[in-house]
């Protein structure tokens, strides 16, 4: 008897052959594979279609130096040209302010839920409120900040108010992703650190967070991608400006979503339709660049296994 036959289980003195698949099992396996591949193809069709349309209609403006260095100031029916520098800088400034406020709060909140408040009433309340924030539409967040920032305190419509509204949208995304990443850290690492006499706060800072750092950074980038394309807070909380304004606390600011909306209403101007597609492509490239940067940071900052 061969070695393969010797390793097979015996039943009533006969060797059972379990190496093959029955006809029904093989059919179900093939059917499931076909359905999964079909679902993947169906999901990729609109994505590829959108990317192809945006790239094919907007790439030529991105190849000009004016697009990255000039604003739309003075662009009329008689004067063509201009660029998206004012909108790019406005988008980056408001996104940066949003991240500076939302990311520390989200990470600290996730650490509390996973490391300190597990099972407590306070943690349940925090988790419930985060679930509510996850489903809040962007226009509701913008109207809330409008009521507080402008109606109650009497401040002007500025870029900082937009960042406050975007914080409400970014916070639950980053907190939930960070929470899941912290849960994936093996408890053995925590227990080994405690066994060496390391305090809990230092274990979290030196072991838990660095282990989950790659996932945390990915969550932050997902949060930024979520808020950088929002239009409702921009329309409600700050007016669109074609001039370059780098001060988020004074005056109207340009942003890529509102630039798209503005050019959509000014199709009579030269190249307005082209600017719509170019601004959309620029926004996609900015999000892509941020994600690539996050991957590099996570790759070189994560704990290396020996």
């Amino acid at each position: 008897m061969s070695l393969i036959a010797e390793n097979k289980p015996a039943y009533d003195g006969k060797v059972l052959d379990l190496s093959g698949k029955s006809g029904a099992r093989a059919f179900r396996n093939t059917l499931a594979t076909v359905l999964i591949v079909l679902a993947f193809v169906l999901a990729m069709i609109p994505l590829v279609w959108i990317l192809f349309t945006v790239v094919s209609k907007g790439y030529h403006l991105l190849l000009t130096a004016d697009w990255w260095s000039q604003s739309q100031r003075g662009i009329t029916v008689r004067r063509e040209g201009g660029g998206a520098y004012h909108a790019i800088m406005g988008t980056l400034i408001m996104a940066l302010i949003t991240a500076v406020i939302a990311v520390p709060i989200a990470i600290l909140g996730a650490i509390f839920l996973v490391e300190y408040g597990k099972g407590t009433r306070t943690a349940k309340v925090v988790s419930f409120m985060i679930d509510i924030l996850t489903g809040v539409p962007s226009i509701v967040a913008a109207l809330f900040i409008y009521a507080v920032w402008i109606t109650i305190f009497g401040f002007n419509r500025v870029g900082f108010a937009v960042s406050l509204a975007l914080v409400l949208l970014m916070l639950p995304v980053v907190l939930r992703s960070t929470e899941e990443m912290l849960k994936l850290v093996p408890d053995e690492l925590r227990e080994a650190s405690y066994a060496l006499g390391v305090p809990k706060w230092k274990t979290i800072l030196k072991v838990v967070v660095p282990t989950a750092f790659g996932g945390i950074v990915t969550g932050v980038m997902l949060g930024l991608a979520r808020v950088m394309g929002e239009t409702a807070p921009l329309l409600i909380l700050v007016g669109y400006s074609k001039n370059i304004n780098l001060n988020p606390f004074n005056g109207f600011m340009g942003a890529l979503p509102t630039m798209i909306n503005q050019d959509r209403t000014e199709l009579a101007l030269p190249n307005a339709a082209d600017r719509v597609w170019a601004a959309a492509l620029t926004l996609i490239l900015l999000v892509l660049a941020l994600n690539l940067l996050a991957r590099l940071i996570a790759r070189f900052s994560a704990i290396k296994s020996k």
Side-chain angles (χ1 to χ4, degrees), residues 1-18:
M1 184 178 294
S2 65
L3 180 62
I4 297 178
E6 291 177 357
N7 291 332
K8 293 180 180 179
Y11 181 74
D12 291 340
K14 298 180 180 180
V15 177
L16 297 179
D17 186 6
L18 302 179

Side-chain angles (χ1 to χ4, degrees), residues 9-306:
Y11 181 74
D12 291 340
K14 298 180 180 180
V15 177
L16 297 179
D17 186 6
L18 302 179
S19 60
K21 297 180 181 178
S22 64
R25 289 174 58 199
F27 173 76
R28 288 195 296 268
N29 180 71
T30 304
L31 179 62
T33 302
V34 171
L35 291 177
I36 292 174
V37 173
L38 181 62
F40 171 76
V41 173
L42 290 176
M44 288 299 296
I45 288 175
L47 176 61
V48 174
W49 189 3
I50 292 173
L51 288 177
F52 174 77
T53 303
V54 174
V55 172
S56 62
K57 294 187 177 183
Y59 78 95
H60 59 280
L61 285 181
L62 272 66
L63 300 179
T64 63
D66 291 346
W67 180 259
W68 304 98
S69 61
Q70 294 185 11
S71 67
Q72 289 293 303
R73 181 178 181 179
I75 299 302
T76 62
V77 176
R78 296 182 178 180
R79 181 174 180 267
E80 301 182 11
Y85 177 79
H86 65 298
I88 295 172
M89 294 305 298
T91 299
L92 292 177
I93 289 172
M94 286 184 280
L96 178 61
I97 295 174
T98 302
V100 168
I101 299 174
V103 172
I105 298 175
I107 293 178
L108 291 176
I111 290 175
F112 169 76
L113 292 177
V114 176
E115 303 294 337
Y116 290 97
K118 186 182 298 184
T120 63
R121 181 176 299 178
T122 304
K124 292 179 181 179
V125 172
V126 173
S127 182
F128 177 72
M129 298 305 295
I130 292 299
D131 290 337
I132 293 177
L133 277 179
T134 303
V136 171
S138 59
I139 191 171
V140 175
L143 290 174
F144 171 74
I145 297 300
Y146 184 92
V148 175
W149 182 263
I150 297 175
T151 304
I152 296 178
F153 292 105
F155 298 137
N156 296 323
R157 297 169 64 202
V158 291
F160 182 75
V162 176
S163 296
L164 294 179
L166 296 181
V167 166
L168 299 178
L169 303 176
M170 183 176 179
L171 183 62
V173 177
V174 180
L175 192 148
R176 281 304 183 203
S177 61
T178 303
E179 181 184 4
E180 294 303 319
M181 290 302 104
L182 294 178
K183 288 180 179 178
L184 292 177
V185 177
D187 288 336
E188 288 79 5
L189 294 178
R190 298 179 176 88
E191 294 169 358
S193 179
Y194 298 152
L196 295 175
V198 180
K200 186 170 186 176
W201 68 269
K202 189 173 289 187
T203 299
I204 296 172
L205 186 63
K206 298 292 186 179
V207 177
V208 178
V209 173
T211 303
F213 186 76
I216 293 174
V217 173
T218 301
V220 172
M221 292 302 107
L222 288 175
L224 281 176
R226 162 79 167 84
V227 302
M228 287 179 67
E230 289 292 344
T231 307
L234 294 166
L235 295 175
I236 295 174
L237 296 171
V238 65
Y240 174 70
S241 174
K242 295 185 177 182
N243 301 327
I244 298 174
N245 178 20
L246 305 182
N247 186 358
F249 297 97
N250 183 28
F252 292 168
M253 291 187 70
L256 288 171
T258 45
M259 180 180 177
I260 295 172
N261 180 72
Q262 183 69 22
D263 283 326
R264 181 187 59 83
T265 62
E266 298 179 350
L267 294 179
L269 295 179
N271 300 324
D274 294 336
R275 287 196 295 270
V276 170
W277 294 109
L281 179 58
T282 303
L283 185 59
I284 293 174
L285 293 178
L286 285 179
V287 174
L288 177 61
L290 289 175
N291 277 276
L292 293 177
L293 178 62
R295 293 294 181 89
L296 291 176
I297 294 175
R299 179 177 181 181
F300 292 105
S301 301
I303 295 178
K304 301 294 189 300
S305 57
K306 295 183 180 179

